Amino acid sequence: MLPSNETSESPETPICSAKGCRAPAVWVLAWNNPKVHTPQRRKTWLACEEHREHLSSFLDMRGFLKDVVRLSEWEDGDRGSAADG
């Protein structure tokens, strides 16, 4: 993780969804809460390398995690039928 005063963040740079983290996102965690969302709906969290496992585990323990994809692939459209939400 980059120190808070040395981020490479710009207005277009997606950042990690972990609380307090300002590191650039590398991963997209696609998830769905079946009690609230239709089966094809996908919500997304972004994760840096450091927080990918922690955020994935949090979602997976609840049965919400559907896919983990590199941000570059997600932006290129290689996400199948998943829709951002």
Side-chain angles (χ1 to χ4, degrees):
M1 185 168 133
L2 296 169
S4 60
N5 61 348
E6 294 182 27
T7 66
S8 60
E9 190 179 322
S10 74
E12 305 85 37
T13 302
I15 60 165
C16 181
S17 298
K19 186 175 182 175
C21 184
R22 304 299 296 167
V26 179
W27 298 96
V28 174
L29 286 60
W31 62 278
N32 170 301
N33 180 342
K35 293 181 181 179
V36 178
H37 306 117
T38 60
Q40 52 281 50
R41 173 93 187 263
R42 293 295 180 266
K43 302 286 284 178
T44 56
W45 282 356
L46 302 177
C48 63
E49 288 291 350
E50 181 180 347
H51 292 111
R52 175 186 164 202
E53 186 61 37
H54 172 74
L55 294 173
S56 294
S57 294
F58 179 90
L59 292 169
D60 197 37
M61 285 181 3
R62 289 154 179 80
F64 295 173
L65 186 63
K66 300 300 179 190
D67 204 4
V68 178
V69 180
R70 283 201 165 272
L71 178 60
S72 58
E73 293 174 21
W74 186 268
E75 292 174 333
D76 289 343
D78 294 342
R79 57 183 176 211
S81 62
D84 193 0

